[in-house]
Amino acid sequence: MGELLRVENISYKYGDRGWALNNVSVSFNAGERVAILGGNGAGKSTLFLCCNGVLHPQTGKIYYKNKEITHSKKDINTQRQAVGLVFQDPDSQFIAGNVESEVSFGPMNLRLPPEEVSRRVEESMSRMNINEYRDYAPHYLSGGEKKRVSIADILAMRPEMILFDEPSASLDPINTDALEGILDELSGAGIAIVVSTHDVDFAYRVAERAVIFAGGKIIADAGVDEVFASDKTLAAAGLKKPLLYEAYEAFVNIYGVPPPAPARKRPKTIAEYKKYIEDYRV
């Protein structure tokens, strides 16, 4: 997987407050799934806004495919097209009166030919299964429907990386499952998926890698199993271990069964956990 976006030693502060980001460096690769975890005010949302070009870091540099992103309008437009941002509250993202106009807004701003705009809108709406809502006002859809529209907004821009700010917030279990399926599909298509969330169980299921923030700094960046194994890191960030991670550890410790072989991943869903128990049933 090739590197898409890299931030080097970036810092950002809001007015006279302390640093929201303090000398942060991190990179993201094509097709990978990353969870950004940390408490409120840890720097997660500010990182997203810098990665998407909404904010410009006061120190440090940002690179897209090894090319530095300057403050030029051309570079910022390239950054925003390549790195999509899905906000926690879809209503704050919507600007059009109906779903079709909403999804077409981004491609139209790129000044693409009308036929290309139409093609992108149809592809994105079909991918998110929202064709039946094309004439609906997005603000009056359900939470799950709004989330799909907000993702279609970004897909119409043909991004290589999508940032999701608390994507499972306000979703019921059925829509959360549907969202996880969408994330798998997008990742399988080579799009980098980066999720900022407080939900460690959700993060454990959808991500391969976890980046932990505390006080505007990155305190850990590793595979999810490695990160959640560190009590010290979790305590520093005010996080808990995912429920299935703890259940797995309890099963291994109580019954003395060997952990899965390296080729077999730890269980991250209820179905995988049941299968794990069955495989070691006496």
Side-chain angles (χ1 to χ4, degrees):
M1 295 186 292
E3 182 184 83
L4 287 179
L5 193 76
R6 181 173 80 256
V7 304
E8 288 187 356
N9 308 116
I10 66 169
S11 297
Y12 189 89
K13 67 164 54 178
Y14 299 94
D16 295 330
R17 289 185 286 172
W19 291 104
L21 291 178
N22 190 351
N23 199 35
V24 168
S25 296
V26 65
S27 64
F28 303 101
N29 300 318
E32 73 171 339
R33 300 190 300 271
V34 184
I36 307 294
L37 299 168
N40 290 328
K44 307 185 303 297
S45 294
T46 304
L47 173 69
F48 273 16
L49 294 174
C50 288
C51 287
N52 179 249
V54 175
L55 298 178
H56 305 301
Q58 287 139 349
T59 66
K61 297 179 179 181
I62 298 178
Y63 297 85
Y64 169 65
K65 290 185 174 179
N66 285 320
K67 181 183 181 299
E68 183 180 351
I69 297 294
T70 69
H71 289 186
S72 72
K73 184 176 180 179
K74 180 181 178 181
D75 278 1
I76 296 300
N77 286 340
T78 296
Q79 182 182 9
R80 290 179 179 172
Q81 183 178 348
V83 184
L85 174 57
V86 178
F87 291 93
Q88 175 179 347
D89 178 13
D91 285 319
S92 67
Q93 187 173 328
F94 298 149
I95 58 174
N98 64 56
V99 169
E100 184 172 13
S101 297
E102 174 64 32
V103 179
S104 68
F105 182 81
M108 288 179 64
N109 268 0
L110 296 177
R111 303 192 178 187
L112 299 171
E115 58 272 17
E116 176 62 16
V117 172
S118 179
R119 183 181 304 113
R120 291 191 180 197
V121 170
E122 293 304 317
E123 288 178 357
S124 299
M125 290 179 62
S126 294
R127 198 170 187 179
M128 290 296 103
N129 195 26
I130 56 172
N131 282 305
E132 62 183 294
Y133 308 122
R134 65 173 63 242
D135 296 322
Y136 286 48
H139 292 285
Y140 295 108
L141 297 175
S142 70
E145 291 160 354
K146 287 179 180 180
K147 188 69 70 174
R148 281 188 277 154
V149 172
S150 66
I151 296 173
D153 273 357
I154 301 304
L155 290 180
M157 300 291 286
R158 300 282 174 84
E160 295 184 86
M161 176 176 172
I162 304 180
L163 313 171
F164 292 86
D165 191 5
E166 293 290 348
S168 62
S170 302
L171 292 184
D172 58 32
I174 291 177
N175 279 303
T176 298
D177 287 344
L179 172 64
E180 291 180 25
I182 290 170
L183 297 183
D184 282 342
E185 178 187 339
L186 297 177
S187 176
I191 297 175
I193 302 299
V194 185
V195 175
S196 170
T197 182
H198 291 96
D199 187 341
V200 293
D201 295 300
F202 178 81
Y204 190 53
R205 290 194 302 271
V206 304
E208 306 159 315
R209 171 183 161 207
V211 179
I212 311 299
F213 271 80
K217 296 182 178 182
I218 292 176
I219 62 172
D221 181 354
V224 289
D225 286 331
E226 181 180 344
V227 167
F228 286 123
S230 174
D231 293 330
K232 181 179 179 181
T233 296
L234 297 179
L239 299 172
K240 293 183 178 180
K241 293 183 180 182
L243 183 60
L244 279 179
Y245 189 99
E246 289 196 286
Y248 158 81
E249 285 189 326
F251 185 83
V252 170
N253 293 333
I254 293 172
Y255 293 101
V257 297
R264 186 177 176 203
K265 298 179 180 178
R266 294 187 183 211
K268 293 187 178 182
T269 66
I270 290 295
E272 291 175 353
Y273 185 67
K274 288 180 178 178
K275 181 66 166 58
Y276 174 77
I277 293 175
E278 289 171 359
D279 286 348
Y280 287 103
R281 183 181 293 170
V282 177

